Amino acid sequence: MVANLIDEEPEKAYEYSRVALRLASRVAAVREAAGFAAYATQKYSEALAEFRAARRMTGTVELWPVMADCERGLGRPERALAMAGEPEVQKLDKAGQVEMRLVAAGARRDMEQLDAAIVTLQSPELASQSVQPWTARLRYAYADALLAAGREDEAREWFAKALEADKDGTTDASDRLAELDGVEFVDVMDALDGDAPHHEPEARPQTETGDGTATGTENGTTAAAGDREEPRPADTDGADTETGPSERSAE
């Protein structure tokens, strides 16, 4: 249940995780799920405690990058950097090592070390032409760091590369590219509402018939004022045209 809700309704996922903890706190999978639910709701202290508990139970190192990112969330980027240099990193698979690199670069940026963050992201995985699950996020983080350092032309190139690899729309690389190109997106409904002309009803000259009934002249015809159809407002039609360590690493 927690896994099903964590992306769309993280607060509800967190509530379910607390219930699960009360029922099965000695199950490693429950502690891990509770950690991710707390992480998704930015409760980094709780998340770190649950990840540590899960790691003690299983002995696995796969949670190492997200644990380091929790340290960032708690305002301790230096601890995240220290974890990036620990032997556990060498035990991670390729995806885990890329995650750790993203977290370390984010920690460098937290410490306002932009050049160091850029260097941290430069790696064989970044230079590779092969598209892997982490490729879009890695390229995006690199582009974002370049832009923060004022290297706009290079940033644009790497945002484009990130977009090329981002088949699932996990980043907003397309929006960042549009922003750099000066493209402004406008909500269609708002545009129509703002541009639709507003017509005030015209004042019509009135005459009085012999029986005292006021009449108005419209298009060469005469009608009783009580029988005239009031002018209708013009109709307008229109239609309207988002996280893991990666979510924090590009900050």
Side-chain angles (χ1 to χ4, degrees):
M1 182 62 75
V2 173
N4 293 335
L5 292 171
I6 198 164
D7 290 330
E8 301 297 329
E9 299 182 81
E11 289 292 346
K12 187 171 290 188
Y14 175 75
E15 293 172 6
Y16 275 111
S17 74
R18 304 316 293 177
V19 174
L21 275 176
R22 289 196 294 270
L23 298 174
S25 61
R26 295 185 180 181
V27 177
V30 170
R31 303 302 291 267
E32 181 176 330
F36 279 110
Y39 179 85
T41 53
Q42 300 183 7
K43 296 176 176 64
Y44 298 117
S45 182
E46 286 184 34
L48 185 57
E50 297 303 334
F51 289 143
R52 284 172 173 167
R55 184 168 179 268
R56 284 195 300 270
M57 292 177 180
T58 63
T60 182
V61 297
E62 66 182 18
L63 295 172
W64 197 254
V66 72
M67 289 169 61
D69 205 47
C70 286
E71 296 287 5
R72 284 186 61 207
L74 291 168
R76 302 191 292 243
E78 68 285 348
R79 293 194 184 183
L81 282 177
M83 291 179 69
E86 293 291 335
E88 281 82 354
V89 177
Q90 303 306 315
K91 301 175 185 177
L92 294 168
D93 60 14
K94 183 62 69 176
Q97 290 180 9
V98 171
E99 292 291 347
M100 194 70 244
R101 189 177 292 277
L102 288 166
V103 172
R108 291 291 187 186
R109 292 192 61 175
D110 292 343
M111 300 168 69
E112 300 184 356
Q113 299 175 0
L114 281 175
D115 290 340
I118 291 170
V119 171
T120 299
L121 293 168
Q122 292 171 346
S123 60
E125 292 79 20
L126 180 68
S128 175
Q129 298 301 311
S130 174
V131 175
Q132 302 296 333
W134 61 77
T135 302
R137 290 169 25 252
L138 183 58
R139 292 177 179 179
Y140 182 94
Y142 188 60
D144 194 52
L146 289 169
L147 186 61
R151 295 160 62 175
E152 187 172 310
D153 290 341
E154 293 174 83
R156 193 199 180 289
E157 176 187 350
W158 281 96
F159 277 129
K161 289 182 177 181
L163 179 59
E164 184 180 288
D166 192 4
K167 306 303 183 185
D168 299 324
T170 56
T171 74
D172 64 347
S174 60
D175 292 340
R176 301 297 296 276
L177 267 176
E179 182 181 340
L180 287 172
D181 290 341
V183 177
E184 182 178 355
F185 293 99
V186 178
D187 187 283
V188 173
M189 182 63 78
D190 290 343
L192 289 176
D193 288 344
D195 293 341
H198 178 69
H199 297 290
E200 294 291 342
E202 296 179 2
R204 295 180 176 85
Q206 291 185 340
T207 60
E208 192 170 290
T209 65
D211 62 1
T213 304
T215 63
T217 302
E218 183 175 5
N219 297 329
T221 62
T222 302
D227 297 333
R228 280 202 311 275
E229 183 177 350
E230 293 298 326
R232 299 175 182 173
D235 293 331
T236 58
D237 294 324
D240 284 329
T241 18
E242 187 80 221
T243 218
S246 60
E247 293 180 358
R248 294 190 42 79
S249 300
E251 293 173 359

